[in-house]
Amino acid sequence: IFTPKKTSEPAARSRAEAPDRVYKVLKYVTVKGYIAKHPKLAAPLRRLGSIISWRVWLHLIIAHTAITCVIFGHFFMLQFYNRASDALDSRYYWARRLIPSLEFGSMHAVLFQFAL
């Protein structure tokens, strides 16, 4: 069984940390007992714990991707609407309107990536 460390800290501080220590002890004993009774679930539980521990990175990656998509979309639409009158009556209307817009949006998305 897990036993908390004995320290020579003041009583007021140890009383404030008591709920945290109790939670850690209960969590350790509960998980240890559960894994001992169900050894086949030990590996999936460890994998689940590692996935949950990466949630901060997952949120960062999702936010980073969303901001990059917003930057791409913003600059794509700017160029797309600016090219509307230039490409009229041209042979390759959609190519002359879409390709520069895609390049402009991609360029700014890549510049954002470089800035990070």
Side-chain angles (χ1 to χ4, degrees):
I1 275 190
F2 176 79
T3 56
K5 294 180 182 178
K6 294 182 180 181
T7 59
S8 59
E9 297 176 354
R13 185 171 177 191
S14 65
R15 269 188 247 125
E17 294 174 354
D20 187 43
R21 282 188 283 143
V22 169
Y23 172 74
K24 285 180 183 176
V25 169
L26 288 175
K27 186 172 113 177
Y28 176 79
V29 170
T30 304
V31 171
K32 183 179 176 188
Y34 187 79
I35 289 175
K37 289 178 186 174
H38 308 284
K40 289 183 179 179
L41 294 177
L45 284 174
R46 286 191 189 101
R47 277 191 226 113
L48 178 65
S50 66
I51 289 170
I52 291 172
S53 68
W54 285 97
R55 70 186 181 276
V56 174
W57 285 109
L58 183 63
H59 286 134
L60 184 68
I61 291 168
I62 290 171
H64 179 77
T65 305
I67 292 169
T68 303
C69 289
V70 167
I71 289 171
F72 171 80
H74 170 72
F75 286 102
F76 173 84
M77 295 307 283
L78 281 177
Q79 189 75 1
F80 185 74
Y81 288 125
N82 286 341
R83 288 270 178 184
S85 61
D86 296 345
L88 288 175
D89 299 327
S90 63
R91 186 171 174 192
Y92 300 106
Y93 175 74
W94 284 109
R96 291 186 182 192
R97 194 165 177 197
L98 283 177
I99 292 172
S101 304
L102 288 170
E103 288 178 359
F104 195 65
S106 299
M107 177 187 69
H108 282 86
V110 169
L111 287 174
F112 171 69
Q113 298 293 323
F114 286 152
L116 295 179

